[in-house]
Amino acid sequence: MKLIIKISVCLMLMMGLSVTLYAQSKQQAVKLILRSTPWTFTGGSALSTLSSKTRSAIFKSPSDSNSFTIKLLVNLKVGSANKTLIEIPEVLKVTMFQHDAKDRKRQNYPAYLLPDGSDPALEATLRLHSPTEPNGPRDMSVGIPLGMLEKLNGEHELVLHFSGVRWTLYVDNELLDNDFPIGYPKWGEQSTWSINPSVILKAEIFSPEMQPQRVALKKPRTLSEIQYWTPQGHNAWVGDVATFFHKGRYHLFYLFDRRGHASKFGKGGHYFEHLSTTDFKTWVEHDAATPVEKQWETLGTGTPFIFDNKLCISYGLHTTRIYPKEQTMLPLQWDYYNKHGITGAFRYDTIPGYPAGSTYSISEDGISNFKKSKILFHPCENPSVYTDPEGRLRMLANYGAKGTWESKSIDGGWQSVNPNFPPGGDCTFFFRWQNYDYVIGGFTGFWSKPAGATADKFVEGVKAGLDFYNGMNVPAVTEISNGRFLLAGWIPIAVWGGTLAIHEMVQAPDGRIGTKWMNEIIPAIEKERLLSKEIKKTSTFPTGSSSFLLTFDVEPGTELNGKLGALFLGADSEDHSSEVQISPKYKRAQYGNGQLQNFSGTEKSLREGGSPNSVRNYAIENLAGTDKPFKVRMIVKYDNKFGGSLIDTEIAGQRTMISFRPDLKVENLLLRSEKSVIKNVKIASLKN
């Protein structure tokens, strides 16, 4: 199959009309209804209590596998740093210190600097002993930048909670950081603990744990954004996204990430959180679909699907990150497959060994309230389960297996129907759109074929430069109502993890796919203002805001031999700047390092060895709709949590590309053109 670039005039007119109608209408703001609430800890009898009168004590220790809770009443002061607040030797230490305001590794403490630029932090470090760590105990820290507290000076309640599965820090009834332990403290028969009375007013230790209880809110918490959203918290991010449309509701599952994959001692500690919407204007945050409930659990990507009329989500158990394969149930599953030619179904809570491989959860109400099946149905660790248009239950196997598999039931019985396609590796997804079938990988792979053709007719689009990778990592594709298709993924900011991004897809009659912004979720803006009716020479404008929507029209000229660039500059001018460059003649666009005097140098596309998934400098090629006048829209969003600016560009309503620029906070815009005309330059600050 040969994919060509030609887009029908009808499609161009429709998309142009869509953009015009949006510009003329007043957009309703998005609302995200959050699940988060305050928490309380009540009841229980303290093993030991410390105060300014009793600064240290000896108490009978909990058993090594016991849970515990420590409640602290602290008096914090600006400027107080480099202090030990509480210590239980060889078990626990709580400290305050001045963090390097430029160091965002792991905890991202610079997300909340004080007005003077300092970055005081508080950390609670627990020493854990685990049989998986031959080199001895390891320290696991949870902490916060103190600048995130609404009122730093004065009294605060801190709660340190170790459940065996979670190690969590609460401040003033809010959950502000957590991690997932591997192992337990070693207490000994008796323990000594002490406090710093200049900061700690009272300390109590409880074992077993005090169970946290949600505080019922009369009015739920809300946010006015979903595009470029991240979970609340200084170090909380969106990981791999999996989406599904069922009974008029769009479900978005994402792997919750803290520390850019550094949680659980670098094993990830991921699990699927869940959002949904029926109109894309009001979104609801549900309970986690696959919460971590055991120390061995860390999850990999999967897909939502319908089986037996029930909403399910498949996912992988990446237990081999923690335990050797020989200690997991993978050998058992492979032995069964090699003997029978199909996979078995193993109830992992009834047999020895650590669970690993493919499993799934089932929604009890068709919307949320997911319950783990505890059934292993395949040894691959990133299962992409789906029902194909012919009604067959299928799976694309990733990580630990490869190929296409088929079964009559989700619970085992899976047999390989195409062992070599897709070739495995990252997360692959199948979808059919009108007369074409597509398979897209998490970072690089993209294949397409006519819907009636056999699987051996899949053609790799990346080699032809016809892919639609736009900076989203591990993108998921879902058809919604009215035949529309959405592409959702995450934009890497914290190594592994970042912001949510959702774009709408467009399809040409020849099967070529592109992307555009989804009108319903475009961030709300303030009043738009005109910067220039026409750019006749290189022009510079103050943006007036570090987060804004920029739009302009381009007339490429009859010979299409020019190019244009939008250069985004911060206070340090060229340093950290970024240029969006568009070349109508070569049908290319790119992000590059900005230069005041010249266009940025040529970047590589994915076909040429570039890396869109790195969301720094890269090119896209084979643009559509740029041989005639077209519109460019750009959103620049700066956030202290990001530590830089995200730039999302839409070209001619048919291609998008996203970049993240660390340390860039835009103050000025420079527009330049070469044999192309830029007109109607407008800018509007984002409301959020």
Side-chain angles (χ1 to χ4, degrees), residues 336-381:
Y336 186 97
Y337 173 73
N338 291 331
K339 182 178 180 179
H340 298 91
I342 59 174
T343 68
F346 300 90
R347 178 91 187 189
Y348 65 66
D349 58 347
T350 64
I351 53 180
Y354 293 105
S358 300
T359 186
Y360 67 101
S361 289
I362 309 170
S363 170
E364 295 186 327
D365 59 9
I367 297 176
S368 57
N369 297 316
F370 283 83
K371 183 178 181 180
K372 294 176 181 176
S373 69
K374 298 184 179 179
I375 293 174
L376 296 171
F377 64 84
H378 195 285
C380 91
E381 296 177 60

Side-chain angles (χ1 to χ4, degrees), residues 221-266:
R221 295 170 172 175
T222 61
L223 292 175
S224 299
E225 60 182 350
I226 194 68
Q227 188 73 296
Y228 322 126
W229 172 80
T230 65
Q232 291 177 293
H234 60 286
N235 61 358
W237 308 99
V238 173
D240 290 359
V241 171
T243 57
F244 198 68
F245 190 73
H246 178 56
K247 294 184 177 180
R249 182 177 294 269
Y250 180 74
H251 295 268
L252 190 149
F253 304 88
Y254 68 92
L255 291 184
F256 181 89
D257 175 76
R258 289 195 193 269
R259 304 173 184 85
H261 212 297
S263 290
K264 212 175 184 80
F265 293 135

Side-chain angles (χ1 to χ4, degrees), residues 49-261:
T49 300
L50 300 179
S51 66
S52 57
K53 294 181 180 180
T54 306
R55 302 179 182 183
S56 64
I58 298 173
F59 61 92
K60 182 176 174 57
S61 301
S63 67
D64 289 347
S65 60
N66 259 18
S67 58
F68 68 88
T69 302
I70 296 177
K71 296 180 71 172
L72 303 172
L73 181 62
V74 303
N75 185 22
L76 300 179
K77 297 179 181 178
V78 174
S80 296
N82 301 318
K83 291 184 178 181
T84 298
L85 278 59
I86 178 175
E87 184 171 12
I88 304 175
E90 298 301 316
V91 174
L92 173 71
K93 182 181 285 189
V94 180
T95 59
M96 288 196 308
F97 58 92
Q98 282 293 342
H99 182 73
D100 182 352
K102 295 182 179 180
D103 180 7
R104 290 183 174 268
K105 294 178 182 177
R106 289 180 64 86
Q107 286 290 72
N108 198 36
Y109 288 149
Y112 291 91
L113 300 179
L114 295 184
D116 64 1
S118 64
D119 192 16
L122 182 148
E123 277 190 349
T125 301
L126 186 65
R127 180 153 295 180
L128 298 171
H129 299 254
S130 169
T132 67
E133 298 295 336
N135 297 323
R138 298 186 65 177
D139 291 342
M140 176 172 281
S141 297
V142 290
I144 61 166
L146 292 174
M148 74 184 301
L149 300 179
E150 185 174 343
K151 182 181 178 183
L152 197 163
N153 287 331
E155 293 185 4
H156 299 269
E157 182 185 68
L158 274 62
V159 176
L160 304 173
H161 183 237
F162 177 78
S163 69
V165 178
R166 287 177 174 81
W167 171 226
T168 309
L169 170 63
Y170 298 81
V171 182
D172 299 331
N173 305 116
E174 300 291 341
L175 193 166
L176 298 186
D177 194 19
N178 70 343
D179 205 337
F180 300 95
I182 304 175
Y184 291 85
K186 281 192 175 181
W187 292 88
E189 292 186 5
Q190 290 186 324
S191 293
T192 300
W193 70 326
S194 59
I195 60 171
N196 184 332
S198 68
V199 182
I200 305 293
L201 303 178
K202 185 179 181 181
E204 298 173 286
I205 183 167
F206 302 82
S207 183
E209 64 184 302
M210 302 173 71
Q211 290 286 349
Q213 303 293 327
R214 286 185 180 273
V215 176
L217 298 177
K218 293 182 179 180
K219 184 178 180 180
R221 295 170 172 175
T222 61
L223 292 175
S224 299
E225 60 182 350
I226 194 68
Q227 188 73 296
Y228 322 126
W229 172 80
T230 65
Q232 291 177 293
H234 60 286
N235 61 358
W237 308 99
V238 173
D240 290 359
V241 171
T243 57
F244 198 68
F245 190 73
H246 178 56
K247 294 184 177 180
R249 182 177 294 269
Y250 180 74
H251 295 268
L252 190 149
F253 304 88
Y254 68 92
L255 291 184
F256 181 89
D257 175 76
R258 289 195 193 269
R259 304 173 184 85
H261 212 297

